[in-house]
Amino acid sequence: MAKLVFGMNQSLDGYVDHLEMRTGPALFRHWIEHVRDLTGSVYGRRMYEAMRIGTKTVLSGVRSTRVRGGVAAPTKWVVSRSLKSVGPDATLVEDDIEAVIRGLKARLVGEIAVSGPDLARSLTDLGLIDEYRLYFHPVVLGRGKPFLPAHGRRSALFPPIPLARTRLG
């Protein structure tokens, strides 16, 4: 059974904004190594569009279940009701998101990354995310998209998160 993991860079006050927080060389290497070991990634529309150009260059050589033109392509699912198509290295998920993601988790092995805070929020509400990884940057933004659902929100689907480990560096 695959594990669904949401991890993103965030400010000290819990917001995500890739334009405000630049990734240094060590964190960039971490993300490249992380992606190399993934079974696949589930993207929200905005994150897919933002990453689409960069992933072709950065992710060459990543393990894949599909090969196009002799080059390995990472397995990607894009959740969107507004897109009509996605690139040849991705599968569009338009309907019954819960059933699709539960099916992926049931039939695949390894780790599936969730990319995008809005998508993560939806998958959190459905109780589908198994692990959260928080990468803090020493900035306070005071605005933007929150990494986690609204402060103070508690439900059976979003219990308190136990700390598994920390790493400085």
Side-chain angles (χ1 to χ4, degrees), residues 70-162:
V71 177
T75 303
K76 290 184 259 186
W77 299 271
V78 181
V79 176
S80 174
R81 290 187 178 96
S82 61
L83 290 176
K84 298 302 174 210
S85 66
V86 292
D89 61 342
T91 300
L92 182 60
V93 178
E94 299 174 275
D95 298 308
D96 207 359
I97 296 162
E98 181 177 8
V100 170
I101 301 302
R102 285 192 191 284
L104 292 174
K105 287 178 67 171
R107 79 171 189 272
L108 298 175
V109 175
E111 195 171 288
I112 301 171
V114 175
S115 297
D118 292 333
L119 174 61
R121 200 166 302 111
S122 296
L123 296 176
T124 293
D125 289 344
L126 295 170
L128 293 172
I129 296 185
D130 299 298
E131 187 174 314
Y132 298 85
R133 294 186 185 149
L134 293 70
Y135 298 84
F136 289 103
H137 287 256
V139 298
V140 174
L141 297 178
R143 62 174 169 48
K145 293 216 179 262
F147 177 90
L148 295 172
H151 298 293
R153 181 178 178 180
R154 294 278 181 210
S155 74
L157 294 177
F158 199 73
I161 301 170

Side-chain angles (χ1 to χ4, degrees), residues 28-81:
F28 184 76
R29 274 191 305 280
H30 164 80
W31 283 115
I32 296 301
E33 291 168 10
H34 167 72
V35 169
R36 187 174 290 126
D37 295 331
L38 289 175
T39 296
S41 295
V42 180
Y43 288 88
R45 179 192 53 82
R46 282 189 284 287
M47 186 61 74
Y48 173 71
E49 289 175 339
M51 298 292 290
R52 190 170 181 195
I53 295 170
T55 55
K56 289 182 181 179
T57 303
V58 172
L59 301 180
S60 61
V62 173
R63 186 175 77 197
S64 172
T65 58
R66 293 181 284 170
V67 175
R68 304 223 184 254
V71 177
T75 303
K76 290 184 259 186
W77 299 271
V78 181
V79 176
S80 174
R81 290 187 178 96

